[in-house]
Every structure is written in C-alpha cells, then in structure tokens.
Amino acid sequence: MAKIFALVFLLLITLGMISGIRLDGNGYTDIIIAINPAVPDNEALIDQIKGMITSGSEYLFQALDKKVYIKEVKILVPPKWKGTYERARRETYDKANIIIDYPNPAFGNEPYTKQLKGCGEESEYIHFTQEFLLNDNLLKVYGPRGRVFVHEWAHLRWGVFDEYNEKQPFYISSTQEIQPTRCTTAITGQWYELMDRDTLSCREDKNGLPTKECQFFPDKNQKTNASIMFMQSLDSVKAFCDESEHNTEAPNLQNQKCDGKATRTVIFQDSVDRDVLKTLSPLQSPPPPPLFKVVQRGGRVVCLILDVSGSMQGERILRLQQAATLFLSDIVEEGAYVGIVKFSTDASIISPLTKIQGKASRDSLIRNLPPRADGSTNMCNGLKRGFEVLQQDDKSAVGDNVIFLTDGEATDNIQDCLQLAVDSGAIINTIAFSQSASNVLITMANQTDGKFIIAVQNLLSNQLVDAFSSFTTSDGDLTKQTIQLVSTGRVTADWFNGTVSVDRTVGNSTTFTIIYEKSPPTVYIQTPSGSVYSQTHVTNNAATKTVTLNIPGTAEPGDWKYSFLSKEPSAQTMTLTVTSQAANNDVRPVAVKAQMSQLSSDGSKPMVVFAEVSQNYIPVLGAKVIATLQSDTGNSEELYLLDNGAGADNLKDDGIYSRYFTKLKTGRYSLKVRVISQDGAPNRSPSKQSGVVYVPGYIVDGKVELNPQKPPVSVQPADVGSFSRTATGESFVVNVPPGVPPPNFPPNKITDLSAEIQGDSVLLNWTAPGEDYDQGTAKFYEIKWSYHSEMLKRNFSNAYPVNTSALQPQEAGLAEHYSFMFETIIQNGTIMFFAVRSEDKEAMKSEVSNIARGIKFVPSPRRPEISKLNLTAVVVSVLGVIILACIIVCIAIWVLKKKKKVDEENIVNMSM
C-alpha cells in the first residue's frame, strides 16, 4: 500500500506541474477566459478581450525584463451565443482563469482578483465586467485595459497584493511626515477633499492623519517607473516595485501578507514561476501577439460507466443504485443527454444517450440501472464502451462528461487505456468506491480536467450520494444547478429529527430523499407555516430502500422540520438528502464551493481547507462552517472554518472560510463542508478583494483634473435569512513516507497584530494561534519592540522584550488583548514597532508576526474661535476699562494738584 501511495503521489506532483496555466518557453499558455451565460451575445466583447490581452502582453513583456509574454488564450463563449465557434474540449466555466460576468454588487465595475491563498501562491480567477471592457469612460479612471490586466495578472499568477489601502490611505512616516499609502514614495501628488466636485484642503482627524474624506491625487507626469501594483494608470509606471525603492512602512496588504517584501522580490523568489524566471533569458526581439481560440460548449452529455464486478455485490451495488438514482432524478439538468454503461468481465451499453425531458425520461434511465454484480474488473472495456455512447450524438466525445465508478483494482491494465482516455477529449470524473480502487483513476481525472472523489460504502457517511450530487453542470449558470441543502445521517431505533432551512434564493424542485437500512420509516415533514407532508405524500422504492418527497411548486422559505420514525425493533441507519434549485431565474442562489489548498501532500507542511460562501459574488458573513475530512483508511477530522483574517484565512470578512489541516496521515481523503446560517450574523461591510484602485483625478500643471465619479455600490453582506448548504470538494491524497513520525507543527504565524499607544501604555491586539498552527492552544507568547521595524524583521531576538509572564494564551481563533505600561514617558510623536512570536509545549516557535506600528500623537491645543458676539463683549469691556482708567487718572491728578496747592499755602504761612 505504501508503494502505491508513493507512486500516485509522484504522479500528482508531476501532473500538478502541467495543469492549469503553463509557461512554455517565454510564453504563457492554457489561459482560459470564460464569459458567463448571463452575458448577452456580443461579438464586440470578444474583440475587446483580444485587444486587452494583446496590449497587456506587450506591457507584461516590458515590465518583467522582456522575459515573458502571453502566448495562447482560449475564450469560452456561452452555449446560447450565435456564431460559428470551435467546439470546446475541456474548457469549462469553473476552470476559467478569467471570467467575464455582471458586476459584483459590492465592487461595481472594478476589476478584481479572488485570492484565497497567501503570498506567492496562485489565485482563483480575475473578474472583469462587460461594462469595463466596452465602456471607454472607465479608461481615464483605471488606465488602459492592458495595464489593468497586468495588475490583475500579478495577483492571479504570482500571488502579490495591492500596494494601496483604501481603509488607511495615509500614514505618518518614521520622519513624522504624512504620506499616502503607496509604493514607491517617489510617486508624487497632492491630497484634497472633494465637495460637490470642488477641491478643499484636507482636515486632520484625532490621530493627526487626514480625515477619511481626503483623497490622494497623483501628478499625471511622474519621474519614477514603479509601481504597477499601486497605480498602473500612470503613464510612467512600467515596472513592479523592487527592493531599492520599496516602501516598507506603507500599511498595505503587500507589506502585511509578504513580510515587507517588494512585489518584484515575491515574483522572482516566491511565486510559482520563481525557478523558471531565474533561468529564462530575455528575448532579443518583441514576441508575437497572443494566439486566440474562441470555443463554445454545447449542452451537457454524460455517460455513467459503472463497475458491476463481483466485489460490488451486496451493499455496494445498492449504494450505487441509490446514488445514481438521485443523480438521474434530481441532479442532472433538463436538456442534458445521459447514457449508461456497465462493466465487469465484459462491458455493455445498458442505456443509449437519452435526452432529459421530464420525469418519464428520468424514470426510464433509473429503471436501467444495474441491480446485480459479478465477474472481474476490466476497466478499459468499460471506458471504450462509454466513449461509444458519447459519440452517439455527434460522432465525438470531445467536451463530453464521464462519471466513472469502480471499487477495485483493475483486472486488466488500466494504464494501457489511460492515453485513450486523454485523447478522447472527454472530461472524466472518477469515483474510488473503496480503499483498493486503482490509483490510476486519480491520474485519469487529473489529465482530463475531471474530479477525483473517494467514497466509502458506509451508509451513514452518505459519501456516494454526496459524490454524485457534486456533478452539477459547470457552465456558470447557478440558476440551473441543483443545490444540496442537507446531507446527514443517524443510527436510531426511534426518531430521526431535525430542521432544514429553505432560504428565499432556492425553492424550486425541492426534494427530500431518505435512504434507510432495513425498513421504511414513518415520515413527518412540516412546512414553516405548519402544513404537514406525511406518508401519503411520499414514494417508497423498496428495491433501492429509498423514500422520496417532491415538494410541488416553489417550497415555502423558512425552517422545515422533519421527523422520521424507525419501525425496526433494533437500530437502523437512515440518511437524509435535501436538494433544491433557484427560486427564479433572476436571483442566483447562495452557493458554497469547498476545496483544499492542494490535492496532494507528503506531510511536511499543513494543508488548508477553504469554503467560499456567497450569493451573487456577495460574501455571506457570520455562517457556521464545518469541514469533515475522512480517509479511506479510517482517519477522520472535523474542522470549524473561520473568516477572521488570521491563521490560514487570508482576508477577514470576504466570505471565504478556512482552517489548517495538520493531522496528516497517509490515505485518500474526502472533503465535505456543511454551512448553516447563524442568528445575529454581523452587519458589516465585506472586505474588498485585490484589484485596481479608483483614481479620483490627477494633478496636471499644478491643477486638479477630476476623473468621472465612482458609481455608488452596495457594500452590505448578503442577507438571505436562514439557510443551510452542503458541498463536496475534490478528494486529495496524503502520503507520509514510511518510518517518518507524524508531523508536528509549530503555532501559526500571527498576521493581524495591531498596536495603539495611549499615554504611556501600549495596547496590542491579535488573534490567538494554536499549538499546531491554528489547532489547540499555544503555551507562551514572546513580545518584542523597537524604534526600527527592520530590527524586528531581521533580528527579533535582540529587540527590546516585553514582560509577558502574566499573559496566558487562549484557544486558537480567539481575540487576544494585552496592554502594558512603559517605565519611561513616551514622548509625543514617538513611533514604535511591535512583533509577537508564539511557542508550543515542545518549544517549537512560530514565525515572527507581522510588524505592528504604533504612534503617540497628542494634538496641539487649538485657540478657541471668537464669535461676533464675543468680540463685541470684549470691545465693550476694553472700552469700559479705558474710561475707568481715565477717570482714575483725572481724579489722581486733581488730588495731586489740590495737595500741591495746600502745601504751597502752608509754606507761605510758615514764612510769615
């Protein structure tokens, strides 16, 4: 078994290097740009895409030392677009690197990139809108489209971050100057407040910084050529910021997420292309323009290729019938074509391609599902028959789908037909239905851009049903997909009770499917308004041990209560699967996408579990997200995923929940995520993904030239009420080398440390790490400070220590607050830097945290303003004082004269 895992691990590593975007010589290939089906037919949009990528390739070539350019691009247009396009092979919307869709309501027409992972790691996709591509009015704001593309490409391919910060656009530098947040500081400009399109001088807030209304207006003509990740719209900007000009003080995500490294450093030292970029020689002449291929997918064509060999007897063939029945009745969409092949010693077509047109066509396919199993496992025979089925509609399997299920090692040599599968052009999704299923299935799925999913036969896990439920259409139209609301199970001799929330974004084609072990239960399902569905409303299929309730029309939104009473004298296992579709075609439902940071691991580094929860791109915040990871060797782990911007989570409040998976043991793992809404979900603005900055205007010849106003956008998180979702991700492989002890990891790096100086005390805040990355509780915190950030970054141990003897770490994920007094007075204007390192019980230390910056700022007292009324009072008072003084002086003079006269008379009298 160890040798098998080692072999498949090596295959995955090798295949991982050639999947997705590739760098072929100096040119990038296998780039997929997909247009969402909701975007109307427009040939001009294709021309604009080509123009953007062509100019972007030229800009990229110059920006990266003439080493790389865009070589080949495929543009996937919607199935309903008219025109003559080449047939899509394995290009699908959900595999696209760049998507063209309607605006994200929170960001409007701003281009952005969805970044799940950390610094230097590839991102998910770039999002452009048709308005951005077709409306030239936006060029003045964001700059030429090719430049914008390169800005986003750097996010997508190399995992760098933005060098601006809309939440903190200004900061006080170490020289106590107010600076705009940017890289490099050589970019000059002025800052003003806008009031009814007029510019006013910026005001200061209580911290001495410009108020939030203040905006930076760069000079249109600059002397520096950096930096693309700050403001690519400037004509002079043609390079990425390097270490010689990098502004390490700027409070931006690039510094926070990349340990203060310059963008260019990350590209050449940390990105997926780092090794190639070091060896590539610059081209001596400009590269050719990109080669474009416009392709289109037709309707979905699927063939189920099902193993009915002897090892599938008993429970396994029953599980197959149960899962395939649910797929055919509820998952596969109307208008798709489906065929079925069974294989053992021989292979046969048990159902030719059949168009899904209502219940009758679905029932016909279900009746043909194989009820018995025997014989050997000749997988190649099954594949060949499957390709015959896929060719029945147009004599080609290119772009079609296969769901290939087997529970054992091949009797024949499946390696012999691997190339046949790759050459077929079909997308082959494989299900390993036991620990002994061939590992070549992983290779086949990977090389054909399919999914690999493992499933155990245990009914309680419901894994095979979940696997089939995950094979939804991948054209990007969520309103046509079946959404899995609930997948749960219980062993009971009594009641199986619970609640499932049907939110207002779903409700059509809602189905409750109960699978039982021994005998059908009594069914009681209550709607939110109190109506009841009971035994008279359900259908029991005794052959597949399945009870089904189809809700007519659109299911009532709210909490549905279910109760199933087992009538068996002893306990039996029951599972419940609830599926539904969008309530109407105009509202995209809440969707969950589950995935791992990688599909293979040797145990040397932790993996990360991600679950994105969103509704029409708007993040759903405050949900309870639970991931279950279960291996075919019996290991199981349950993780509560967080969206707190700490540990494994890249950005707080972006609707992407994540957690480290550290208990790595050899095996093939399934991934299942459950999402439940919670009362009191936070009503705060979602975080913005990485993207281009809006430029309010430029300074030209000393004057402000304003750009078009930024259109108002909705910045509220999705509010859909109570909901529940279940999602299945692709399976992954862990292969810890034999003889190597289980991995032991240090606490995770703290990435959200902040500092505030109040008087002569300092308040630090951060999120607690764990004993092993973000699991458990760390033992000890080590806090250091310095007047220089470089000291903490390069020589943490020799920085000034903070006494933490009274600080006891909390459980991972909780908020930490620690304040302490300095022994000396902190002078006004002092800037100090802080960092934290944590330690576990085995003295393993984390990486040094992000460096937090604190400044003591006490504003100078301002003279009180004098009103007209106060001024009059002052004048009157002063005049009164003057008059009184004059009277006193006059009296004094009179008294002195009177006294002098008396004295003179006395002298005269004495002389006589």
Side-chain angles (χ1 to χ4, degrees):
M1 180 61 68
K3 290 182 178 180
I4 293 174
F5 275 114
L7 175 62
V8 73
F9 180 75
L10 289 173
L11 283 169
L12 283 170
I13 293 297
T14 303
L15 291 169
M17 296 176 66
I18 63 172
S19 62
I21 297 172
R22 295 191 300 118
L23 190 53
D24 181 12
N26 295 79
Y28 286 103
T29 66
D30 294 343
I31 300 168
I32 301 175
I33 301 177
I35 302 173
N36 191 279
V39 175
D41 194 336
N42 189 341
E43 194 71 25
L45 186 59
I46 297 176
D47 293 336
Q48 289 294 84
I49 292 171
K50 291 179 178 179
M52 176 180 68
I53 302 301
T54 300
S55 61
S57 178
E58 297 169 357
Y59 189 53
L60 175 65
F61 181 66
Q62 297 296 329
L64 225 61
D65 310 336
K66 300 182 179 181
K67 286 190 172 186
V68 295
Y69 66 100
I70 305 300
K71 187 176 182 179
E72 295 179 1
V73 176
K74 295 175 183 176
I75 302 174
L76 178 66
V77 301
K80 292 184 179 180
W81 277 30
K82 297 178 181 179
T84 304
Y85 305 108
E86 191 172 328
R87 181 172 179 174
R89 191 174 176 89
R90 294 187 173 110
E91 299 82 16
T92 58
Y93 188 87
D94 60 351
K95 297 283 186 181
N97 314 111
I98 302 167
I99 61 174
I100 314 298
D101 197 1
Y102 280 99
N104 181 322
F107 309 144
N109 286 301
E110 289 186 13
Y112 69 91
T113 302
K114 190 175 86 172
Q115 285 186 273
L116 288 183
K117 303 169 188 174
C119 183
E121 299 185 74
E122 286 190 272
S123 301
E124 301 308 295
Y125 60 76
I126 300 170
H127 182 158
F128 291 115
T129 68
Q130 57 178 342
E131 181 73 10
F132 171 78
L133 289 165
L134 297 173
N135 185 352
D136 289 346
N137 291 333
L138 297 175
L139 296 181
K140 193 173 182 181
V141 176
Y142 301 116
R145 295 185 183 93
R147 288 169 170 252
V148 173
F149 166 72
V150 173
H151 178 103
E152 298 308 319
W153 175 268
H155 289 309
L156 176 75
R157 181 64 179 176
W158 302 315
V160 298
F161 290 84
D162 290 320
E163 294 168 347
Y164 64 89
N165 187 339
E166 290 184 338
K167 292 184 178 180
Q168 195 175 344
F170 298 92
Y171 69 99
I172 298 178
S173 71
S174 56
T175 57
Q176 298 189 5
E177 296 176 307
I178 295 175
Q179 293 282 355
T181 300
R182 68 206 191 284
C183 184
T184 156
T185 55
I187 292 180
T188 59
Q190 300 175 28
W191 42 95
Y192 299 100
E193 289 185 20
L194 283 179
M195 180 72 69
D196 296 328
R197 305 293 282 175
D198 291 329
T199 55
L200 305 173
S201 297
C202 288
R203 296 165 292 170
E204 288 186 1
D205 62 15
K206 63 179 182 180
N207 298 313
L209 291 169
T211 59
K212 63 182 181 179
E213 290 81 14
C214 189
Q215 300 182 71
F216 178 61
F217 293 78
D219 292 324
K220 186 64 176 177
N221 298 315
Q222 299 281 340
K223 295 180 179 180
T224 179
N225 66 352
S227 169
I228 292 172
M229 300 315 292
F230 171 61
M231 198 171 287
Q232 77 291 325
S233 59
L234 297 173
D235 292 339
S236 68
V237 171
K238 298 177 182 178
F240 295 101
C241 209
D242 63 25
E243 293 296 340
S244 67
E245 54 196 351
H246 179 56
N247 178 15
T248 59
E249 290 189 341
N252 54 35
L253 277 180
Q254 175 62 23
N255 279 329
Q256 181 183 346
K257 297 295 184 183
C258 297
D259 293 328
K261 293 180 182 179
T263 298
R264 185 178 169 90
T265 301
V266 173
I267 294 171
F268 278 86
Q269 295 183 4
D270 301 325
S271 77
V272 68
D273 293 328
R274 59 186 179 274
D275 295 330
V276 180
L277 289 174
K278 293 174 185 176
T279 59
L280 273 181
S281 298
L283 295 178
Q284 299 303 308
S285 59
L291 175 65
F292 293 97
K293 183 182 292 186
V294 183
V295 299
Q296 185 179 44
R297 300 195 68 80
R300 186 152 70 137
V301 180
V302 187
C303 183
L304 308 185
I305 304 178
L306 307 175
D307 184 352
V308 292
S309 61
S311 57
M312 284 289 293
Q313 291 179 0
E315 280 193 42
R316 289 180 180 175
I317 195 68
L318 177 60
R319 299 287 171 267
L320 183 156
Q321 289 179 303
Q322 293 164 342
T325 296
L326 185 138
F327 174 79
L328 295 171
S329 62
D330 298 321
I331 306 302
V332 68
E333 67 279 10
E334 286 287 303
Y337 285 84
V338 180
I340 305 174
V341 166
K342 67 176 181 178
F343 71 92
S344 55
T345 306
D346 296 312
S348 60
I349 300 171
I350 57 177
S351 180
L353 282 183
T354 301
K355 187 175 183 178
I356 302 297
Q357 292 179 301
K359 188 174 183 300
S361 57
R362 295 176 186 271
D363 289 344
S364 173
L365 287 164
I366 291 171
R367 285 193 297 269
N368 287 330
L369 287 172
R372 291 177 297 277
D374 58 53
S376 57
T377 312
N378 289 317
M379 296 186 184
C380 288
N381 288 343
L383 282 169
K384 292 173 183 176
R385 284 281 188 240
F387 297 147
E388 288 179 24
V389 170
L390 295 176
Q391 294 169 6
Q392 289 176 348
D393 60 335
D394 59 2
K395 303 185 183 305
S396 173
V398 171
D400 295 338
N401 278 256
V402 166
I403 299 176
F404 187 91
L405 180 146
T406 181
D407 75 333
E409 292 283 356
T411 306
D412 55 353
N413 188 356
I414 191 174
Q415 191 74 38
D416 291 344
C417 56
L418 176 60
Q419 194 59 46
L420 173 68
V422 174
D423 293 341
S424 71
I427 300 169
I428 303 178
N429 304 289
T430 62
I431 302 176
F433 194 33
S434 79
Q435 185 180 356
S436 59
S438 175
N439 285 299
V440 179
L441 298 177
I442 304 175
T443 309
M444 188 181 299
N446 193 293
Q447 288 197 349
T448 63
D449 286 329
K451 295 180 181 179
F452 166 70
I453 298 179
I454 69 160
V456 296
Q457 70 184 46
N458 179 272
L459 173 59
L460 187 63
S461 72
N462 213 30
Q463 283 185 0
L464 194 58
V465 166
D466 295 337
F468 272 89
S469 297
S470 71
F471 295 130
T472 56
T473 180
S474 55
D475 65 358
D477 187 356
L478 292 178
T479 63
K480 299 295 188 295
Q481 290 186 11
T482 297
I483 306 292
Q484 194 173 19
L485 307 186
V486 165
S487 172
T488 186
R490 184 169 300 175
V491 179
T492 181
D494 200 354
W495 287 97
F496 177 9
N497 301 320
T499 301
V500 55
S501 297
V502 177
D503 59 276
R504 56 178 175 267
T505 69
V506 294
N508 284 341
S509 302
T510 303
T511 302
F512 287 71
T513 303
I514 305 107
I515 298 175
Y516 55 89
E517 181 184 6
K518 300 174 182 177
S519 63
T522 299
V523 175
Y524 182 92
I525 298 174
Q526 182 177 308
T527 69
S529 59
S531 300
V532 174
Y533 291 95
S534 61
Q535 212 67 22
T536 58
H537 303 95
V538 302
T539 301
N540 175 41
N541 186 329
T544 60
K545 298 184 176 180
T546 303
V547 173
T548 306
L549 170 64
N550 296 306
I551 306 299
T554 302
E556 180 184 346
D559 290 338
W560 290 61
K561 297 178 181 179
Y562 59 84
S563 297
F564 313 131
L565 176 62
S566 175
K567 294 177 285 187
E568 286 289 313
S570 59
Q572 72 166 334
T573 301
M574 291 185 287
T575 65
L576 170 66
T577 303
V578 182
T579 60
S580 189
Q581 292 185 3
N584 61 70
N585 294 333
D586 298 326
V587 179
R588 298 180 184 180
V590 173
V592 178
K593 182 179 180 180
Q595 66 184 87
M596 300 297 297
S597 57
Q598 58 206 64
L599 295 180
S600 61
S601 171
D602 62 0
S604 60
K605 295 180 180 179
M607 305 178 76
V608 181
V609 189
F610 297 106
E612 180 185 8
V613 188
S614 62
Q615 193 263 324
N616 192 25
Y617 296 115
I618 304 175
V620 175
L621 307 183
K624 182 179 181 180
V625 182
I626 305 167
T628 302
L629 303 94
Q630 186 173 349
S631 77
D632 53 4
T633 55
N635 301 315
S636 183
E637 181 78 6
E638 190 170 87
L639 299 173
Y640 284 78
L641 308 187
L642 304 174
D643 183 18
N644 61 357
D649 194 57
N650 199 34
L651 195 63
K652 183 177 181 180
D653 290 339
D654 63 350
I656 299 170
Y657 299 73
S658 54
R659 207 73 185 259
Y660 285 109
F661 175 42
T662 59
K663 296 181 180 179
L664 301 173
K665 298 180 181 179
T666 294
R668 298 182 298 193
Y669 286 77
S670 64
L671 169 62
K672 180 177 179 176
V673 169
R674 291 174 291 138
V675 182
I676 305 168
S677 59
Q678 297 190 104
D679 293 334
N683 185 23
R684 53 179 178 258
S685 299
S687 295
K688 179 183 176 183
Q689 294 281 353
S690 298
V692 293
V693 65
Y694 165 76
V695 184
Y698 301 99
I699 305 297
V700 181
D701 297 330
K703 298 181 180 180
V704 177
E705 287 191 0
L706 295 177
N707 284 334
Q709 283 185 292
K710 184 177 182 179
V713 296
S714 170
V715 293
Q716 295 301 313
D719 180 17
V720 296
S722 297
F723 72 93
S724 58
R725 295 290 188 273
T726 297
T728 299
E730 290 189 59
S731 296
F732 60 96
V733 176
V734 176
N735 178 44
V736 180
V740 175
N744 182 32
F745 299 112
N748 66 268
K749 175 183 175 179
I750 294 167
T751 59
D752 61 346
L753 178 68
S754 64
E756 184 178 355
I757 300 177
Q758 301 172 336
D760 295 323
S761 66
V762 176
L763 173 63
L764 300 178
N765 297 284
W766 68 93
T767 301
E771 168 79 9
D772 293 328
Y773 272 75
D774 59 5
Q775 307 294 307
T777 305
K779 182 181 179 182
F780 177 73
Y781 287 128
E782 184 180 13
I783 302 177
K784 297 291 184 74
W785 71 274
S786 175
Y787 293 115
H788 307 283
S789 61
E790 288 298 309
M791 167 65 79
L792 293 171
K793 186 162 59 172
R794 305 187 187 281
N795 201 356
F796 177 83
S797 298
N798 289 335
Y800 297 113
V802 173
N803 185 352
T804 58
S805 58
L807 178 57
Q808 182 64 40
Q810 299 187 80
E811 184 180 353
L814 296 179
E816 296 277 26
H817 311 283
Y818 187 62
S819 61
F820 56 92
M821 293 285 295
F822 267 78
E823 296 179 358
T824 58
I825 295 175
I826 303 176
Q827 299 297 323
N828 191 29
T830 299
I831 297 176
M832 306 172 74
F833 299 92
F834 303 87
V836 181
R837 185 166 64 185
S838 49
E839 188 177 303
D840 65 15
K841 62 185 177 184
E842 296 183 6
M844 295 185 70
K845 299 179 184 294
S846 71
E847 296 180 56
V848 176
S849 72
N850 67 293
I851 298 172
R853 190 170 177 275
I855 181 169
K856 181 175 180 179
F857 177 79
V858 180
S860 301
R862 298 180 179 178
R863 296 178 181 177
E865 295 183 357
I866 301 176
S867 67
K868 291 182 179 179
L869 180 63
N870 289 339
L871 180 61
T872 302
V874 169
V875 170
V876 171
S877 298
V878 170
L879 289 174
V881 170
I882 292 173
I883 293 171
L884 179 61
C886 290
I887 294 172
I888 292 172
V889 169
C890 291
I891 293 173
I893 292 173
W894 181 82
V895 170
L896 288 173
K897 288 182 177 179
K898 184 71 176 175
K899 183 175 183 299
K900 183 178 180 181
K901 184 176 181 182
V902 172
D903 289 343
E904 288 176 348
E905 290 176 351
N906 289 337
I907 292 173
V908 170
N909 292 333
M910 289 179 62
S911 63
M912 292 181 63

